[in-house]
Amino acid sequence: MSDKPDNIYANPLGQPGPFVFDETVVNVFPDMIKRSVPGYATIINMIGNLAERYVQANSVCYDLGCSLGAATLAMRHRIQAANTRILGIDNSAAMIERCRQVIAADSGEVPVELVCGDVQNIRIEQASMVVLNFTLQFIPIDQRLAVLTAIYEGLLPGGVLILSEKVAFEDKPHHELMIELHHNFKRSNGYSDLEIARKRSAIENVLIPETLATHRQRLRAAGFGSVDVWFQCFNFASMIAIKP
Ligand code: GEK
């Protein structure tokens, strides 16, 4: 079945309200994220790849802000270690409800538990892999360190955090260029200038990007020893942070 096309911002009437992950978004989410995030499919595929290497026996994997479970499924199908389980969490009831259907239709053997809740309240325990795939950007800036610290504390030695984010750049002209290149990417995926502008205004105070330097600094402050960018396309990047 092909994804339902995202035309949420095609209607020119009225000012769009702030972006929310409601049922309207859930219905078009796979199409939306694929056409909006450069490298999304690669990142998901590589999360599977990394699961193969980093997931330890008798441990838990966390998919924080799991949406429809793309990263959960990528891990589920590539984990080699014995006696593992995956916990997916999202604070959108509409997302979790649809995610349950996605997981139920999947034949993977690793147990998956889904929770509707806030990643800021979840207890991370016995983790060998934690994924924050484009989720931290929706959490208030002053609460981000606490989330990363809780993840660090719940990871086993050798455990890994994958943190993917839309990022900002210190240098203003470069920042503007990356935004322009991202918008070109969206245009080439069929979004009109109107849709791009309306989405931009809806998401403005909801998704707060920070620089890679800020992310690195915070990951180190949370305790992570090794922190590196393993993927970047324009203003979208994914980092790998390992607990020593
Ligand atoms: C993917 N990871 O396909 N607690 C829990 N969930 C949250 C919170 C929070 N505080 N804030 C936002 N969310 C997915 C894509 S989408 C990215 C992640 C995007 C959830 C929100 O409901 C949404 O499902 C997800 O984080 C962000 O790999 O749409 O740009």
Side-chain angles (χ1 to χ4, degrees):
M1 203 178 76
S2 63
D3 296 337
K4 263 203 195 155
D6 167 27
N7 51 18
I8 291 176
Y9 294 102
N11 180 346
L13 299 177
Q15 259 309 100
F19 186 83
V20 282
F21 290 98
D22 58 12
E23 206 184 328
T24 313
V25 167
V26 168
N27 286 335
V28 300
F29 189 75
D31 180 65
M32 169 187 282
I33 197 149
K34 206 164 51 194
R35 287 162 68 209
S36 305
V37 176
Y40 175 74
T42 301
I43 293 172
I44 290 295
N45 187 26
M46 289 304 146
I47 284 172
N49 215 289
L50 292 162
E52 209 171 290
R53 178 185 169 114
Y54 284 101
V55 177
Q56 303 173 25
N58 310 311
S59 75
V60 187
C61 302
Y62 290 81
D63 183 2
L64 306 179
C66 60
S67 298
L68 302 185
T72 290
L73 290 181
M75 291 191 280
R76 190 183 208 191
H77 288 278
R78 297 290 289 276
I79 289 172
Q80 304 294 312
N83 189 29
T84 60
R85 61 192 176 92
I86 304 172
L87 198 121
I89 170 162
D90 203 291
N91 67 353
S92 157
M95 279 289 185
I96 284 289
E97 196 182 312
R98 185 67 54 85
C99 189
R100 283 193 204 289
Q101 296 168 8
V102 172
I103 300 301
D106 174 70
S107 58
E109 281 167 14
V110 175
V112 174
E113 186 190 338
L114 297 173
V115 174
C116 185
D118 197 308
V119 305
Q120 293 174 85
N121 303 329
I122 192 89
R123 209 184 150 85
I124 312 280
E125 284 171 311
Q126 199 63 18
S128 60
M129 182 161 180
V130 178
V131 173
L132 271 171
N133 203 33
F134 302 106
T135 302
L136 194 69
Q137 58 195 15
F138 294 106
I139 290 172
I141 287 185
D142 61 355
Q143 287 157 44
R144 292 179 186 182
L145 178 60
V147 171
L148 297 187
T149 304
I151 292 171
Y152 181 82
E153 282 168 4
L155 272 169
L156 297 164
V160 69
L161 165 66
I162 304 302
L163 173 62
S164 311
E165 289 276 290
K166 184 176 190 180
V167 295
F169 299 87
E170 204 80 54
D171 182 72
K172 189 121 191 347
H174 186 71
H175 181 76
E176 293 304 326
L177 173 65
M178 290 301 116
I179 288 174
E180 199 183 313
L181 292 175
H182 174 228
H183 288 173
N184 282 348
F185 166 85
K186 290 187 75 168
R187 221 170 278 122
S188 69
N189 283 336
Y191 284 114
S192 68
D193 289 342
L194 175 83
E195 286 176 290
I196 293 170
R198 285 172 70 81
K199 172 74 177 272
R200 189 180 186 178
S201 109
I203 206 112
E204 200 169 18
N205 298 313
V206 178
L207 186 171
I208 317 284
E210 297 175 289
T211 65
L212 283 168
T214 300
H215 283 297
R216 264 202 201 94
Q217 223 168 34
R218 186 183 292 119
L219 285 163
R220 287 199 194 289
F224 288 97
S226 145
V227 175
D228 250 309
V229 173
W230 66 270
F231 177 89
Q232 185 173 356
C233 182
F234 307 141
N235 47 350
F236 290 80
S238 188
M239 284 153 274
I240 178 166
I242 300 171
K243 178 165 178 171

